[in-house]
Amino acid sequence: MGLTHTSTGAGAADAGLIIDRRSPEDRVIALAGNPNVGKSTVFNALTNLRQHTGNWPGKTVTNAQGRHTHRGRDYILVDLPGTYSLMAHSAEEEVARDFLCFGGADGAVVVCDATCLERNLNLVLQTLEITPRTVVCVNLMDEARSKGIEVDTVELSRLLGVPVVATAAGRNEGLGQLMEAVADMAAAEEAPHTFRPGYPSAVERALARLEPVLARRLEGRLPARWTALRLLDQDPSLLCALEKFLEIDLMEDPEVRVALLEAQAGLKEEGLDQESLRETVVASLVRAGAEIAGETVTFHWEDAARRDRQLDRILTSRATGIPVMLCLLAVVFWITIAGANVPSALLADGLFWVQDRLTDLFAYLQVPEWLHGALVLGVYRVLAWVISVMLPPMAIFFPLFTLLEDFGYLPRVAFVLDHAFQKARACGKQALTMCMDSIILH
């Protein structure tokens, strides 16, 4: 699936959370998921559109909307940017988080990659904390089967407490069942009782202090437990979004403030400051996801799974991760730069041969010198230089990076660099943008 003019041009400007409802009966469904799990493929297959939402820093972030009619009812599907977590560190994560939390959707579909379900369950568990009206779409089942991976969707549904549908969106497999599950979920009078991740006792005590107070203030507009966690986390961007959505500042409420201070004091006595609290919450979610994946995913080819774990240890460890990354990127850069010299020279020769012929033509036609200078020596020459210098490296660099992404190496690079990038108020995913900038500057 490629980029379209709509997805990358002026139409890509974020339209905020404006939903195009044509009837009060329309149902709004948010499509969430990690990057590269086939979420946009699901969206395009159901809406017959060709949208692509941003997954990398530097691309305009937007929510794509489309319609799907099922059982005579229109469903507005909102394709959110890919995100690994709702604890936002970047613009696309904030867009996904804000729509799931405050967008007014009637339900959510979380698309997961069947080949690495454990990693995807982190987002599923966070989504369930916000909205229990969720359907889990386990996509890429065809790839999972080819790798000897089997996902027990029945058991997964039982553990999570929500419908789970297996799909292979690229082949249009399972999409009908997915919409059946979405329709049933949207029509249900009561939301299901879903899996609730447990946190360490200190965190649970803090939540127990805040939840009753918040439940009275929120009046069902947001889950009290989820809101309590966010207040304890003190994420400034989310606190602003909360205030805008609720139209009240919870921090100004005397009862909430007292309960929050008591909860924070309790956490501090247990040695949990703001940063360690977030790490504790994330660790609990990851652990819960691993336990669920352990009960529902079977690797028929143990050697492949063992090989992946060994690769993870080598490519993401502190001792070997960065040296391996530097060596691999050095090879990519060398192939790109050295390999581009020959086609760049050929392109330059061809394009400047055309410039000479244009000069001859302008002379034959007795075109004024200033016009020849502006069009041939100005516009054309600059265009020829840009094409001959930029096109060959890009034609080599992007396929190489696509191969690294397909092998699953780029997410590991983002993981390895995330800690260093966090010190510059950025995230590890921006490593890709940095590499592209390096090639352009060269």
Side-chain angles (χ1 to χ4, degrees):
M1 179 177 54
L3 300 179
T4 65
H5 173 72
T6 304
S7 65
T8 59
D14 189 0
L17 302 177
I18 300 173
I19 299 299
D20 181 22
R21 288 181 188 265
R22 297 174 186 170
S23 162
E25 299 300 317
D26 289 353
R27 293 289 179 266
V28 180
I29 305 298
L31 277 180
N34 288 185
N36 305 316
V37 297
K39 179 171 54 63
S40 293
T41 306
V42 173
F43 173 83
N44 290 332
L46 292 174
T47 60
N48 295 319
L49 295 177
R50 296 180 60 194
Q51 293 286 349
H52 188 280
T53 52
N55 288 333
W56 62 92
K59 184 187 183 299
T60 303
V61 177
T62 185
N63 292 323
Q65 297 181 39
R67 287 181 172 272
H68 178 85
T69 303
H70 186 76
R71 296 184 192 168
R73 166 168 284 172
D74 278 359
Y75 292 86
I76 302 172
L77 303 179
V78 182
D79 186 16
L80 304 178
T83 178
Y84 294 103
S85 167
L86 297 182
M87 298 177 184
H89 290 91
S90 57
E92 67 271 21
E93 290 176 349
E94 286 187 10
V95 168
R97 179 202 66 192
D98 288 350
F99 187 82
L100 281 170
C101 299
F102 316 120
D106 298 293
V109 173
V110 183
V111 183
C112 301
D113 184 347
T115 64
C116 50
L117 185 65
E118 179 180 334
R119 186 183 68 195
N120 289 241
L121 285 175
N122 180 31
L123 181 63
V124 173
L125 297 179
Q126 291 186 52
T127 304
L128 291 180
E129 287 189 314
I130 298 173
T131 172
R133 290 185 181 274
T134 296
V135 175
V136 176
C137 170
V138 183
N139 194 33
L140 302 177
M141 288 297 289
D142 49 344
E143 289 192 21
R145 285 192 292 268
S146 68
K147 293 180 178 178
I149 299 171
E150 181 180 346
V151 180
D152 186 345
T153 55
V154 176
E155 178 65 7
L156 183 60
S157 176
R158 188 188 70 79
L159 292 173
L160 295 176
V162 296
V164 176
V165 181
T167 64
R171 301 181 178 185
N172 283 329
E173 292 178 10
L175 296 180
Q177 292 90 328
L178 176 63
M179 285 311 302
E180 284 289 322
V182 169
D184 291 340
M185 175 264 291
E189 293 185 1
E190 294 185 5
H193 296 287
T194 62
F195 177 85
R196 193 174 79 167
Y199 300 111
S201 55
V203 179
E204 291 291 349
R205 282 195 293 273
L207 292 175
R209 179 68 186 90
L210 267 173
E211 275 189 67
V213 179
L214 289 172
R216 292 193 291 273
R217 299 293 183 277
L218 296 172
E219 299 176 336
R221 287 182 289 176
L222 287 172
R225 181 180 173 85
W226 177 84
T227 309
L229 268 176
R230 304 290 78 80
L231 287 185
L232 291 171
D233 186 40
Q234 290 286 294
D235 179 353
S237 68
L238 185 56
L239 291 180
C240 290
L242 267 175
E243 182 179 350
K244 184 177 179 182
F245 174 73
L246 296 171
E247 296 181 338
I248 57 171
D249 185 357
L250 290 172
M251 304 299 292
E252 296 296 325
D253 186 289
E255 193 177 2
V256 173
R257 179 183 287 273
V258 169
L260 179 59
L261 289 174
E262 291 178 358
Q264 289 174 328
L267 288 173
K268 194 172 182 180
E269 289 176 2
E270 300 287 342
L272 288 174
D273 57 16
Q274 188 175 328
E275 185 174 349
S276 57
L277 170 66
R278 174 171 283 213
E279 291 175 357
T280 301
V281 170
V282 171
S284 299
L285 291 170
V286 170
R287 187 164 49 249
E291 291 173 356
I292 293 173
E295 295 184 37
T296 56
V297 180
T298 303
F299 294 92
H300 292 294
W301 300 342
E302 280 297 331
D303 287 345
R306 192 180 304 112
R307 190 166 57 247
D308 281 347
R309 288 194 290 271
Q310 289 172 345
L311 278 175
D312 275 339
R313 280 195 288 272
I314 295 171
L315 299 177
T316 62
S317 78
R318 292 185 177 180
T320 59
I322 290 181
V324 170
M325 179 195 68
L326 292 175
C327 292
L328 197 53
L329 290 180
V331 171
V332 170
F333 285 167
W334 181 81
I335 293 174
T336 302
I337 295 169
N341 287 337
V342 174
S344 285
L346 291 174
L347 265 176
D349 290 344
L351 291 172
F352 287 111
W353 178 86
V354 174
Q355 175 188 307
D356 294 339
R357 302 292 78 75
L358 287 173
T359 298
D360 294 341
L361 178 63
F362 274 54
Y364 175 77
L365 297 175
Q366 296 183 342
V367 174
E369 190 62 29
W370 66 267
L371 185 58
H372 168 260
L375 294 180
V376 177
L377 302 182
V379 175
Y380 180 82
R381 175 176 283 190
V382 170
L383 187 63
W385 272 118
V386 170
I387 291 175
S388 59
V389 171
M390 295 294 298
L391 183 60
M394 292 297 103
I396 298 173
F397 177 77
F398 281 109
L400 288 175
F401 254 59
T402 301
L403 283 176
L404 292 178
E405 185 173 21
D406 288 345
F407 286 133
Y409 183 64
L410 291 188
R412 291 173 170 120
V413 170
F415 174 80
V416 168
L417 292 178
D418 190 64
H419 185 69
F421 275 65
Q422 288 280 350
K423 295 183 181 301
R425 303 291 182 188
C427 63
K429 289 189 293 182
Q430 287 176 286
L432 174 60
T433 307
M434 188 180 71
C435 292
M436 287 191 288
D437 289 344
S438 301
I439 288 294
I440 292 170
L441 290 174
H442 172 79

